[in-house]
Amino acid sequence: MADKTNKLTVGLVRAELVDVADIIKDGAAALPVDGLGTFYTQPSFPRAPSWIQDFFGSRLGAGPQLITSSAKGLLLVPLTAGEETRIFAVLFGHGRHLLKDGALEDRFGLKVVLNSVDPDSLRSIDKTALGSVPKQSREQISREGGASSFGIDVEQDLVNAVTGKSRIERFGRTISGRDTFAASAKFDAGDVKDFLADVLSQYRSLTYQDRFDWIDQIKDVRPSHQIAKLNDELIARLQRGELDHIWMAPPEIVDWADVKGFRYCRKRSDLHTDLDPAQLLVSLGEDGIDFERLKSADILLVSATSDTTLTSWSAYRCIYAEIVQDGTLFILNAGKWFAIAKDFTELVNNDFVSMPESDIVLPDYAHGNEALYNKAATSALAGSHCLDADVIVHGGGQSRIEFCDLLTADKRLVHVKRYSGSAQLSHLFAQGVVSAELFVTDAEFRRKLNEKLPDHHKLNNCEDRPNPEEFEVVYAIITDSANALNIPFFSKVTLRNAGRRLRGYGYRVSKKKVTSNKAKAS
């Protein structure tokens, strides 16, 4: 064992890569290390930090003699375990930049850590909350805790990295893992192979499935060849006009009250109220579509108040697509591809199919906006009352809560949304959960609601808790598709969670497809 503690960052080369030319970038110098492997490096040149000149200019005169340098070192170590030989990359300084893109196993370090920590001794987690707008965050806690301490949504959060207390003595006290594995312990070139053998053993272990089995439900796709294959399939489907599992939506949250519409590709093109892949193809004209055109074509958001372009995005970032390859569901969301575990895909899809279809009779959508539709639907349903945009100011921060869009005579809380992306559907499902929970748990909320209701809907006593079993929460989704109701996978996940919470209170929960006249015309 070494006398000094060293901090090393270790990656595992992909199993199919055995030729150094496929692993190390051109131009790196190689130095064999007897009994260990090969060390690669590139010259680094001392220089003054750029900020000295960029910020201070000549004000410092001769100034302090500050020098910086970006040293790069990488040790490739072949290791035989059983009948298999794997290659490790031990990184020094900026050694990661010597590796070719996609050379390392994805999430290698993450699995090593999850197999090597006490599940209740985590300190930090990096995660991406998936939806119409993926949100990356790092959460740290002041003392060790379990995954539940970080508020992880196991069905919608992609965990990218974990730091925690090691239960493997050789790894030292604190370990971190993403694609690479980082540890500080007493080892050096003399015994690093023993250390790597333990790391490989922990990577192959399935211990993490006892407490972290959800970690494999969603993975981001990073190998460039796999991304290229998925992009090729997307383009092929667009070229063939196969759009059943391709949607479009803004890749970030927008203020829909100030949205006049969207334009494809040009500032003076026709204005459209929704984003539609079929209309995108029409706008591209006779030249058709390829990947470069999809990335370079602009989607313009036009303001309702100023009639100017508020912002624009690449059409590729506005595409939400679901593609099955080799039995695995891959999802393109805001410009990134994700792979969904097969059993999780089946669970979510089955849950969506099994959610009852409401028998409420709603008119087709042939209106300029949801507000006009909700008024028309209220008129078509005897004894119903429209609460669309009639918000209740309630709770901390004076939250503005919409109880529902339509309240029917037979106690159905109908929430209506025209499909325009996962973010908008998530808002719809969340609205249903929040209002329904407050309705059964908060007497003050019921008093404020009662003030907005006509006499035939008013509660007799706002202090009495209503019986949720008498009510049905209906999610009505307006769609341009003539096929059976289908929504993006992550929207199904959100609906699944909302349904579970509502049923926990005793509500009946259902979905309802509202067909637009546009779908009937097609």
Side-chain angles (χ1 to χ4, degrees):
M1 180 178 291
D3 294 330
K4 294 184 177 180
T5 297
N6 285 301
K7 180 178 181 179
L8 288 187
T9 302
V10 178
L12 183 64
V13 174
R14 299 179 71 86
E16 66 270 21
L17 302 182
V18 294
D19 190 335
V20 170
D22 296 326
I23 303 170
I24 303 295
K25 291 179 179 178
D26 296 338
L31 179 65
V33 181
D34 289 343
L36 192 54
T38 305
F39 181 74
Y40 296 87
T41 187
Q42 282 182 336
S44 57
F45 302 97
R47 62 187 186 281
S50 61
W51 48 264
I52 290 183
Q53 178 62 38
D54 294 345
F55 183 82
F56 290 102
S58 60
R59 288 175 174 80
L60 295 179
Q65 299 303 305
L66 298 178
I67 298 297
T68 186
S69 180
S70 299
K72 302 174 184 176
L74 185 153
L75 177 66
L76 288 186
V77 182
L79 188 73
T80 300
E83 298 181 355
E84 184 183 28
T85 298
R86 298 299 302 265
I87 301 174
F88 280 91
V90 184
L91 310 176
F92 300 90
H94 295 267
R96 179 67 180 262
H97 299 297
L98 298 176
L99 287 167
K100 287 192 172 181
D101 180 48
L104 298 183
E105 294 280 6
D106 296 337
R107 293 157 49 104
F108 159 73
L110 179 63
K111 283 194 174 181
V112 174
V113 169
L114 294 179
N115 281 322
S116 306
V117 295
D118 182 329
D120 296 317
S121 67
L122 306 182
R123 296 299 299 266
S124 172
I125 284 181
D126 291 10
K127 64 179 182 178
T128 301
L130 299 175
S132 182
V133 187
K135 180 179 69 174
Q136 298 186 32
S137 62
R138 171 173 294 174
E139 295 194 12
Q140 299 178 342
I141 54 178
S142 58
R143 59 182 180 181
E144 297 166 355
S148 60
S149 303
F150 298 86
I152 295 174
D153 182 342
V154 299
E155 295 192 342
Q156 285 190 282
D157 285 347
L158 172 68
V159 175
N160 303 307
V162 170
T163 296
K165 180 181 177 182
S166 173
R167 57 180 177 78
I168 308 298
E169 183 177 357
R170 183 186 289 274
F171 293 170
R173 176 176 173 78
T174 302
I175 53 178
S176 298
R178 186 183 288 263
D179 287 342
T180 55
F181 171 67
S184 296
K186 292 185 176 181
F187 52 82
D188 57 19
D191 56 3
V192 72
K193 276 196 168 184
D194 294 334
F195 168 77
L196 295 178
D198 287 345
V199 171
L200 183 60
S201 175
Q202 291 303 105
Y203 173 66
R204 291 173 169 174
S205 172
L206 299 178
T207 300
Y208 75 97
Q209 293 182 353
D210 293 337
R211 291 283 295 271
F212 303 108
D213 59 320
W214 44 267
I215 209 79
D216 291 328
Q217 290 182 165
I218 306 172
K219 301 178 183 178
D220 50 340
V221 179
R222 275 173 278 175
S224 55
H225 69 279
Q226 190 172 19
I227 292 173
K229 183 179 178 182
L230 290 164
N231 285 331
D232 288 345
E233 177 62 21
L234 171 66
I235 296 300
R237 293 190 182 190
L238 289 170
Q239 290 172 340
R240 295 192 299 264
E242 297 176 3
L243 307 178
D244 282 351
H245 295 280
I246 300 175
W247 297 268
M248 290 189 71
E252 57 191 54
I253 297 295
V254 299
D255 179 8
W256 287 96
D258 190 30
V259 174
K260 184 175 183 179
F262 302 90
R263 288 193 168 97
Y264 299 96
C265 307
R266 300 179 303 278
K267 289 185 177 180
R268 296 188 179 182
S269 62
D270 293 340
L271 196 66
H272 302 272
T273 56
D274 288 306
L275 290 178
D276 182 352
Q279 190 58 53
L280 172 66
L281 296 178
V282 171
S283 72
L284 293 174
E286 296 179 356
D287 293 336
I289 189 169
D290 58 27
F291 184 65
E292 291 307 316
R293 291 204 74 194
L294 187 62
K295 291 199 72 172
S296 61
D298 286 332
I299 303 297
L300 311 177
L301 173 65
V302 180
S303 168
T305 55
S306 65
D307 207 32
T308 60
T309 299
L310 289 174
T311 188
S312 65
W313 312 281
S314 159
Y316 180 67
R317 290 191 64 216
C318 295
I319 293 284
Y320 181 104
E322 298 182 358
I323 291 176
V324 176
Q325 288 188 346
D326 301 323
T328 297
L329 174 65
F330 293 92
I331 293 175
L332 177 65
N333 190 28
K336 283 186 64 66
W337 285 101
F338 300 91
I340 313 299
K342 295 178 183 179
D343 56 348
F344 184 49
T345 301
E346 184 177 0
L347 178 68
V348 172
N349 285 333
N350 287 344
D351 199 74
F352 178 74
V353 171
S354 65
M355 177 172 283
E357 181 82 8
S358 176
D359 60 3
I360 188 173
V361 179
L362 294 173
D364 292 340
Y365 181 84
H367 306 76
N369 54 52
E370 289 171 26
L372 293 175
Y373 175 80
N374 288 331
K375 290 179 181 177
T378 301
S379 299
L381 295 170
S384 65
H385 180 65
C386 183
L387 287 163
D388 179 27
D390 194 2
V391 297
I392 299 171
V393 180
H394 184 75
Q398 295 299 291
S399 299
R400 298 167 63 83
I401 299 163
E402 192 176 89
F403 182 59
C404 61
D405 291 309
L406 308 174
L407 176 60
T408 69
D410 56 352
K411 296 185 178 181
R412 302 190 200 214
L413 282 57
V414 185
H415 300 268
V416 180
K417 183 65 67 176
R418 181 176 55 184
Y419 172 70
S420 53
S422 296
Q424 282 66 49
L425 289 182
S426 295
H427 174 77
L428 174 74
F429 303 147
Q431 172 183 291
V433 171
V434 171
S435 63
E437 285 182 342
L438 288 172
F439 184 54
V440 296
T441 61
D442 194 322
E444 179 61 22
F445 178 81
R446 292 194 290 271
R447 280 192 288 272
K448 293 178 180 179
L449 170 64
N450 231 25
E451 294 174 1
K452 298 179 177 294
L453 297 178
D455 290 342
H456 60 282
H457 278 294
K458 285 188 182 296
L459 302 171
N460 293 327
N461 187 345
C462 294
E463 295 298 325
D464 292 341
R465 185 181 188 272
N467 181 7
E469 295 180 0
E470 298 177 358
F471 293 84
E472 177 182 352
V473 177
V474 181
Y475 289 116
I477 301 171
I478 303 167
T479 172
D480 292 336
S481 173
N483 299 323
L485 180 63
N486 190 25
I487 59 177
F489 181 81
F490 288 130
S491 297
K492 292 176 183 175
V493 172
T494 308
L495 177 59
R496 179 172 183 262
N497 292 337
R500 190 161 47 200
R501 289 176 62 180
L502 290 168
R503 286 190 293 270
Y505 279 100
Y507 288 100
R508 288 169 287 128
V509 186
S510 64
K511 61 183 185 291
K512 179 69 177 180
K513 177 187 176 183
V514 176
T515 304
S516 72
N517 280 2
K518 180 178 178 181
K520 289 195 169 184
S522 62

